[in-house]
Amino acid sequence: MKLCRISPAVSLLMLCLALPQFAAAEQKYQPVHENGGEKWRIGFYQGGEYNDYAPVTKALAERLAALGWIKPSIGECLATARDSASVWTCLAQADSDYLEFVADAFWTAQWKDDLRQARRADFISRATTRRDLDLVLALGTWAGQDLATDEHDIPVVVCSTSNALFSGIVASAEDSGHDHVHARVDPTRYARQVRLFQRIVGFKRLGVVYEHSREGISYAGMDQIEPLSRELGFELVTCEAPFSGVTLEAAEGAVLACHEELAAKVDAVYLTIHRGLNMKSIGRLLEPLFARNIPTFAMGTLYEVNAGAMMSMAQPDFRYAGDFYAETMARILRGERPRDISQILLDPQDVRVNIAVAKRIGFHLPVDIISDAQETLSVIEDYPEQPDSAGK
């Protein structure tokens, strides 16, 4: 095949022609003073701490800084923030001509049902009486469920939720069902992951740990993988383990017991989102699966592959999601209705594999998977203790 060379002059012309389109796309995210001369006041609401929430919010803030909504100096504070509360403290101190992240507009239920009801009531009261917020970031499924209601009309951007559709936050992938609500949706995320895992491993019996509740079923992607099991002809072997309403130690113990039970019954395990499976506990919780040479696929973030899952399609960082949430937020503040903004953002298709794990369990990873993987790891890392986290 003969390749055509493009001259530097033509390349420059092509770049110049592309720049106006890029500028036009960026323009709809630029900061504006259209709030009666006042700064836009932003709140934050979460069900409790979870591994993803702080990095997602950091990534959102970094994109807002890149767009000019807040000053880049926020990065220095964010670099040392470890949880949502400390990230919010940084944002409340952010230098901005446009936004005020209101220090006392931060709600967390600490994954306790009674506190959840109290926090929700407090938010609704403030939203309908004081009406002093212009937009709220809702992190996770509990937060999305609590705020996706017509009891108030403050714009809500739901971030980092596993399955906004199945959990009832939105009416459909295309329509949130509420004028003031927007939630990111990836309708086939978990089915894509399990389909890939089955193609590589060829399992007949797949183990899944989850809590038998609407939220737990959502976190585990059961609405997607149950139909897939019938389509592909494998058996789904489940084990129930509570993640809310119990101590962190009890949640971890429940997952460990499930892994011990499943290890004797299954060919592979799909590691789903669960409070008991966290950075601190994952190493020892995987030991029963290592002992039986069980391949694992993590639905969550990259740390799980680093710490002992054999593979994942997880993102290396939260930039793509943070950009999406920040740009959605910008469009709302510039006047677009949350309901009118597309909610669909598909996860990156990047595969990550841990060769050290495959060797440990004696599994031969196909050469094409290794060569096509976005990242291959050759060690199993240990992670320091993290804040209590409890689901998405």
Side-chain angles (χ1 to χ4, degrees), residues 193 196-198 200-201 269-271 295-300 304-305 308-314 351-354 357-358 363 365-366 369:
Q193 292 181 354
L196 173 66
F197 192 33
Q198 207 277 336
I200 294 169
V201 175
V269 168
Y270 186 45
L271 299 172
T296 52
F297 190 110
M299 71 151 53
E304 293 160 320
V305 179
M310 189 179 76
M311 63 183 304
S312 179
M313 289 171 68
V351 175
R352 285 169 169 77
V353 297
N354 193 318
V357 172
F363 184 83
L365 283 164
I369 294 298

Side-chain angles (χ1 to χ4, degrees), residues 57-117:
T57 311
K58 286 183 182 183
L60 180 154
E62 289 165 0
R63 179 59 174 157
L64 288 177
L67 292 170
W69 287 91
I70 55 181
K71 299 297 175 60
S73 55
I74 185 68
E76 187 174 338
C77 182
L78 291 175
T80 58
R82 294 181 64 243
D83 57 19
S84 296
S86 56
V87 170
W88 194 250
T89 297
C90 290
L91 287 170
Q93 300 168 357
D95 185 6
S96 172
D97 296 328
Y98 306 94
L99 305 178
E100 178 184 354
F101 298 89
V102 183
D104 70 346
F106 179 93
W107 290 267
T108 181
Q110 301 173 33
W111 303 117
K112 297 178 180 177
D113 290 326
D114 55 343
L115 280 180
R116 179 185 186 183
Q117 300 307 315

